[in-house]
Amino acid sequence: MSLRFIGIDPDTGDGESPTVWVDEQRNEIVIQGWKPSPGLNAECAGFQVPGHAVGIPEHEQVVRVPARMAAMLKEACSVLEQRPDVP
């Protein structure tokens, strides 16, 4: 895996480290964040969107990141958008 570090939550403390990377081999954004509360997880699992199965597949996970990391997420998107092999 070829991870490119983008940033870490600027308000991170000991034991807390929401982080954003770009996997340049797979052309994906990788996010480390907080686990959702059971209520949020249930809300996401019950969310209905046309063309999307209800529930969270076993191989997926809901992750929370603070809004103050929006610029890092934008940067990660920009990194991928600038790659010639990403449509």
Side-chain angles (χ1 to χ4, degrees):
M1 186 180 295
S2 175
L3 289 180
R4 176 176 172 172
F5 174 77
I6 300 298
I8 190 168
D9 178 2
D11 290 350
T12 196
D14 291 341
E16 301 249 348
S17 55
T19 308
V20 178
W21 299 270
V22 170
D23 181 335
E24 295 186 296
Q25 286 182 322
R26 297 181 71 165
N27 293 322
E28 296 175 344
I29 296 170
V30 179
I31 300 172
Q32 175 182 331
W34 300 306
K35 291 181 180 179
S37 66
L40 177 60
N41 208 45
E43 184 177 349
C44 291
F47 199 76
Q48 295 186 20
V49 178
H52 187 278
V54 175
I56 301 169
E58 194 62 34
H59 64 280
E60 295 181 7
Q61 176 66 51
V62 173
V63 178
R64 295 174 45 238
V65 295
R68 62 185 166 264
M69 294 179 68
M72 292 173 210
L73 294 170
K74 289 176 187 177
E75 181 180 345
C77 290
S78 179
V79 165
L80 289 177
E81 289 173 345
Q82 292 174 18
R83 293 179 56 92
D85 55 339
V86 178

